[in-house]
Amino acid sequence: MNVRDRLDGGRAVVAARDADETPDTTEIRRLAEAAGYDVVGEVTQRRTEDLRYNLGGGKARELADVVAERDADAVVFDGELSPGQYTDLLDLFPAGTTLTDRYRLVLEIFADGAGSTAATTQVDLATLRYELPRVRRATEESLLNAATEKGSPVLDMEKRIDAMEAKLDELTDAAADRRARRRAEGFDLVALAGYTNAGKSTLLRRLADDFDAESSLDDASGDDGRNDDHTESITVEDRLFETLETTTRRATLDGRRVLLTDTVGLVADLPHDLVRSFSATLDEIGAAAAVLAVVDASADEERLRRRVETTVEVLAADATGPVVPVVNKVDRLDAAGREAALGVVADVLAEAGVETREPVAISALDGIGVDGLRDAVVGALPGSTATFELPPSGESRAFVSWLHERGDADVTYGPESIEISFAGKPSVVDEAERWAADLRSDGREG
Ligand SMILES: Nc1nc2c(ncn2[C@@H]2O[C@H](COP(=O)(O)OP(=O)(O)OP(=O)(O)O)[C@@H](O)[C@H]2O)c(=O)[nH]1
Ligand SMILES: [Mg+2]
């Protein structure tokens, strides 16, 4: 059950323009639906940008007619409208019609769905950053010389932006502390990133040890102590921006303990500062020991290319760990289709000059290739191994359970000794070696 199932944005006409080809409205329609609109019509145009309306003047009036005919409440424009285009277009439409561009549409989806303080603050900040230049322009036009400090909407917005940035910094520090703690406990952090609807959450559910509320690691106290539903379930839906907040679960991959974080999806053609505003996603990507870049391989070649490009742009800027490309939804493809998709992904990555591991083809839905993916992830994580031979004491058994919690321990109990081979994070192996040395010297003394 999702809050957004009850959203009703009203009836919308989508409009799109492209200089080079007839616009494809599939994605903007799906974004409009995710924001709760019922799409009742569309108007598209192939031409260069008109300064006044963005669309050509004739097309803009045609759009107004369609709005009236279909009794629409809203126009959703695929692109970014300048403040002037926004007001001029709105003037053409029947009174009461609302106008939303691609950027505002994404903000609407997030504003409706964000639950935690961090997520809400991020959306508010992105909205203010978007509105500021527009309000500044409007203020300059109307109050050319009346730059009063008192009650200036621009100053007010600037203050709110500063306050929100400070608040987000605090929340970000808390998240970083949490990550440091988990690393110290021997967890490797792995992030799932990628275009919206690629199947990230489905993959998280498949890889996680357990995905019920109990095992959720996003303690609400890290936000504001509020009881927060968003961290309790990982929802999967064939809808854009189903996941609006990062969520972390435990997973054990070939005995290696990792924390997997599902992140907010990416979408093409958004101004960079909107993506930046969702800093929790970028922080998780930056902190991860490995990033799984999930792509929907069942998309046609052009879309696949565009989505991989969008993903790569973000990863190139933020990922520090190795990137494992995950070519998902291959259950929808035959062998030739899989090869083609793997080829496109490899191509885009090579063109972008990002260094990644070999792409892995999987179906998160039915499990094809997931074992291979586990191996690939473990292979990408920094790791080391050690063997120990210890006296059979209570201390040694405590050591063994400590190892079991922190990595992959293979234990043989003999009458005279306990033999262990262990694989895990280098820092854990170092600590284990120090402890084992103590145990051995205690054993000799006793
Ligand atoms: N056929 C097929 N469908 C899949 C697979 N993985 C995911 N899906 C479907 O794709 C849709 C989106 O899946 P999600 O896991 O919600 O995708 P996401 O990347 O988390 O999407 P956002 O949270 O919106 O960014 C759902 O309808 C899934 O059932 C797969 O391997 N095969
Ligand atoms: Mg999701």
Side-chain angles (χ1 to χ4, degrees), residues 28 31 35 37 75-77 79-83 86-87 90 98-112 123 126-127 130-132 134-135 269-271 274:
I28 193 71
L31 283 171
Y37 291 101
V75 171
V76 171
F77 186 85
E80 202 183 345
L81 294 168
S82 71
Y86 180 82
T87 21
L90 208 52
T98 61
L99 175 60
T100 301
D101 63 12
R102 188 180 181 88
Y103 193 107
R104 278 169 190 258
L105 189 62
V106 171
L107 288 177
E108 279 176 25
I109 298 173
F110 279 82
D112 289 333
V123 180
T127 310
Y130 175 82
E131 302 290 355
L132 181 62
R134 288 162 173 77
V135 172
D269 297 332
L270 286 183
L274 178 61

Side-chain angles (χ1 to χ4, degrees), residues 67-89:
V67 170
E69 252 166 50
R70 307 274 157 93
D71 194 21
D73 308 293
V75 171
V76 171
F77 186 85
D78 192 7
E80 202 183 345
L81 294 168
S82 71
Q85 289 168 347
Y86 180 82
T87 21
D88 284 342
L89 269 176

Side-chain angles (χ1 to χ4, degrees), residues 195-202 235-243 265 328-329 331-332 363-365:
Y195 211 77
T196 182
N197 210 238
K200 301 176 292 299
S201 301
T202 309
T235 58
V236 165
E237 190 73 51
D238 194 11
R239 166 165 58 190
L240 304 191
F241 291 118
E242 175 60 19
T243 304
N328 189 32
K329 306 197 189 180
D331 55 289
R332 292 193 179 152
S363 164
L365 198 63

Side-chain angles (χ1 to χ4, degrees), residues 9-56:
R11 296 159 64 80
V13 175
V14 300
R17 181 194 58 77
D18 192 292
D20 308 318
E21 59 196 357
T22 306
D24 174 357
T25 57
T26 316
E27 187 167 278
I28 193 71
R29 279 171 171 270
R30 297 204 62 199
L31 283 171
E33 282 158 12
Y37 291 101
D38 182 14
V39 178
V40 295
E42 72 169 44
V43 169
T44 61
Q45 186 175 37
R46 178 180 167 181
R47 66 157 278 174
T48 52
E49 180 170 350
D50 175 82
L51 283 182
R52 173 127 196 232
Y53 296 114
N54 194 307
L55 298 167

Side-chain angles (χ1 to χ4, degrees), residues 236-268:
V236 165
E237 190 73 51
D238 194 11
R239 166 165 58 190
L240 304 191
F241 291 118
E242 175 60 19
T243 304
L244 293 173
E245 305 191 24
T246 57
T247 306
T248 300
R249 293 293 185 275
R250 288 172 206 265
T252 312
L253 308 178
D254 299 344
R256 190 82 179 253
R257 295 201 319 165
V258 303
L259 289 177
L260 279 175
T261 300
D262 185 16
T263 63
V264 174
L266 308 168
V267 75

Side-chain angles (χ1 to χ4, degrees), residues 112-427:
D112 289 333
S116 71
T117 312
T120 316
T121 311
Q122 288 180 20
V123 180
D124 291 347
L125 183 58
T127 310
L128 279 171
R129 281 186 182 145
Y130 175 82
E131 302 290 355
L132 181 62
R134 288 162 173 77
V135 172
R136 188 176 277 144
R137 207 189 99 129
T139 317
E140 276 162 9
E141 277 175 2
S142 64
L143 304 167
L144 255 179
N145 41 15
T148 50
E149 303 90 85
K150 206 173 134 224
S152 151
V154 172
L155 272 182
D156 185 48
M157 280 175 89
E158 284 169 344
K159 273 193 209 130
R160 283 169 63 203
I161 288 177
D162 287 347
M164 274 179 195
E165 279 171 347
K167 184 162 151 196
L168 262 184
D169 279 349
E170 260 171 46
L171 294 169
T172 308
D173 288 349
D177 287 350
R178 215 152 53 218
R179 280 195 296 266
R181 244 184 0 252
R182 292 168 186 176
R183 271 205 208 91
E185 288 162 6
F187 286 105
D188 289 292
L189 309 182
V190 175
L192 292 157
Y195 211 77
T196 182
N197 210 238
K200 301 176 292 299
S201 301
T202 309
L203 182 58
L204 177 67
R205 293 172 76 148
R206 183 159 286 279
L207 294 176
D209 292 336
D210 194 352
F211 53 82
D212 60 21
E214 299 267 279
S215 67
S216 170
L217 292 156
D218 292 275
D219 36 320
S221 59
D223 297 329
D224 58 358
R226 214 148 46 92
N227 192 0
D228 198 331
D229 286 336
H230 294 261
T231 56
E232 288 179 8
S233 61
I234 307 162
T235 58
V236 165
E237 190 73 51
D238 194 11
R239 166 165 58 190
L240 304 191
F241 291 118
E242 175 60 19
T243 304
L244 293 173
E245 305 191 24
T246 57
T247 306
T248 300
R249 293 293 185 275
R250 288 172 206 265
T252 312
L253 308 178
D254 299 344
R256 190 82 179 253
R257 295 201 319 165
V258 303
L259 289 177
L260 279 175
T261 300
D262 185 16
T263 63
V264 174
L266 308 168
V267 75
D269 297 332
L270 286 183
H272 202 66
D273 59 332
L274 178 61
V275 180
R276 290 244 79 84
S277 294
F278 296 98
S279 54
T281 284
L282 303 180
D283 288 349
E284 294 292 348
I285 291 171
V291 179
L292 307 189
V294 186
V295 301
D296 174 354
S298 69
D300 63 44
E301 182 175 335
E302 202 189 311
R303 287 202 183 98
L304 179 58
R305 194 168 269 285
R306 208 163 98 103
R307 293 175 189 174
V308 180
E309 281 164 4
T310 305
T311 306
V312 160
E313 256 170 51
V314 172
L315 293 184
D318 290 280
T320 51
V323 173
V324 180
V326 180
V327 177
N328 189 32
K329 306 197 189 180
V330 296
D331 55 289
R332 292 193 179 152
L333 302 173
D334 58 15
R338 279 180 206 191
E339 281 314 306
L342 283 165
V344 171
V345 172
D347 259 15
V348 177
L349 295 171
E351 277 163 27
V354 250
E355 220 182 293
T356 64
R357 303 298 158 119
E358 195 69 11
V360 185
I362 68 155
S363 164
L365 198 63
D366 60 20
I368 303 171
V370 173
D371 283 337
L373 176 62
R374 287 193 182 94
D375 293 342
V377 178
V378 172
L381 292 172
S384 61
T385 55
T387 54
F388 308 104
E389 196 180 329
L390 299 170
S393 64
E395 265 284 318
S396 295
R397 276 187 293 275
F399 176 66
V400 168
S401 32
W402 185 87
L403 288 178
H404 276 307
E405 276 170 24
R406 282 164 183 77
D408 190 11
D410 205 3
V411 187
T412 317
Y413 293 90
E416 308 284 313
S417 68
I418 303 178
E419 280 173 37
I420 310 158
S421 52
F422 179 73
K425 283 177 65 164
S427 60

